[in-house]
Amino acid sequence: MVSDVRITPSILNADFSQLNSEVAKISQVADLLHLDVMDNVFVPNFTFDFEAASKIVKESALPVDAHLMVADVDKIAVQYAEIGCASVTIHAEATRNIGQTLKNIRAAGSRASLGIKPGTEIDAYEEYVDQLDMFLIMTVEPGFGGQKFMENMMSKVKRTRQIIGDRPIWLQVDGGVSMSTIEFALEAGADTFVVGSAVFNDPDPAAMVQKLRKHAHEYLGY
Ligand code: DX5
Ligand code: ZN
């Protein structure tokens, strides 16, 4: 059962030329800052190299939830943990050694998280459950903000919730989450919500974060 919800705004749709002021808009109300790192290899888009990402992590008023959409992620994932990210997500499709990398992320002091793309099934990764602090189920093909929420991923979210059982592991969904889709993910058992365009395209990003949280709490009967 979901006991609390986290809203983790993604800055992918924020104005990169003034990131600090964009982050400041939501830093009083969001739980973590979701940082989408893309390398133009694992996904057909590029956002930040390690140096630029490190600067954001260092300056962020919020703990950072790094979502690494990069090929051959094992070595760099540990570096993201070492610079102080609160959580580091590696993609199952991009790692050569899941178990060891998850262990290294935790050893460097971050929460260890495993993400899967829409075409990847969850069952093959059940064996790593005790090495994880979060699962990320993509609800769009990774690469771009502003895409449509894939409701047909909800059976995978439900299955992941079953795998988690009563462990205190977060279950995050990413892609297309908004006031009109968050309920599907809540119903399926997600408790951690990446929201990009719905927050940063809103005239009042902080109010939108609060509206999403309130809506989720009401849905859960708080
Ligand atoms: C997509 C990214 C997402 C994206 C979410 O590859 O991982 O975090 O920014 O943006 P929205 O909420 O607009 O789908
Ligand atoms: Zn993301």
Side-chain angles (χ1 to χ4, degrees), residues 35-218:
L35 183 67
D36 287 306
V37 182
M38 304 185 183
D39 66 349
N40 210 13
V41 177
F42 181 68
V43 289
N45 195 4
F46 180 85
T47 52
F48 316 103
D49 60 16
F50 183 67
E51 202 188 328
S54 305
K55 192 166 173 278
I56 297 170
V57 174
K58 210 170 132 204
E59 290 177 4
S60 174
L62 282 165
V64 172
D65 167 35
H67 178 193
L68 305 182
M69 288 163 277
V70 301
D72 210 358
V73 70
D74 300 283
K75 204 166 138 208
I76 196 92
V78 184
Q79 293 172 356
Y80 274 91
E82 285 166 353
I83 59 169
C85 291
S87 173
V88 176
T89 297
I90 59 168
H91 264 270
E93 305 86 357
T95 163
R96 291 169 205 247
N97 195 340
I98 301 187
Q100 190 57 49
T101 301
L102 294 175
K103 218 177 269 176
N104 293 345
I105 292 170
R106 273 189 174 172
S110 296
R111 300 174 62 90
S113 162
L114 184 68
I116 57 171
K117 299 206 285 185
T120 304
E121 292 304 327
I122 190 67
D123 293 83
Y125 302 103
E126 183 171 356
E127 63 179 290
Y128 299 104
V129 66
D130 287 312
Q131 287 183 257
L132 285 168
D133 300 297
M134 183 168 85
F135 277 105
L136 163 57
I137 306 299
M138 290 303 301
T139 43
V140 297
E141 280 300 336
F144 301 92
Q147 302 182 76
K148 190 174 178 294
F149 181 81
M150 295 169 75
E151 206 183 321
N152 60 347
M153 291 297 120
M154 295 307 97
S155 54
K156 202 195 284 186
V157 175
K158 280 187 191 149
R159 174 73 194 117
T160 309
R161 176 51 68 191
Q162 270 177 358
I163 291 171
I164 290 173
D166 54 14
R167 297 173 182 87
I169 298 174
W170 297 352
L171 176 47
Q172 185 177 56
V173 286
D174 182 4
V177 177
S178 68
M179 284 295 278
S180 56
T181 59
I182 195 168
E183 282 181 18
F184 298 114
L186 279 162
E187 159 75 28
D191 58 12
T192 304
F193 303 90
V194 179
V195 194
S197 49
V199 163
F200 281 103
N201 291 349
D202 194 276
D204 190 343
M208 179 49 74
V209 170
Q210 283 168 312
K211 262 162 75 176
L212 284 159
R213 191 191 307 282
K214 186 161 175 274
H215 190 55
H217 282 170
E218 279 167 6

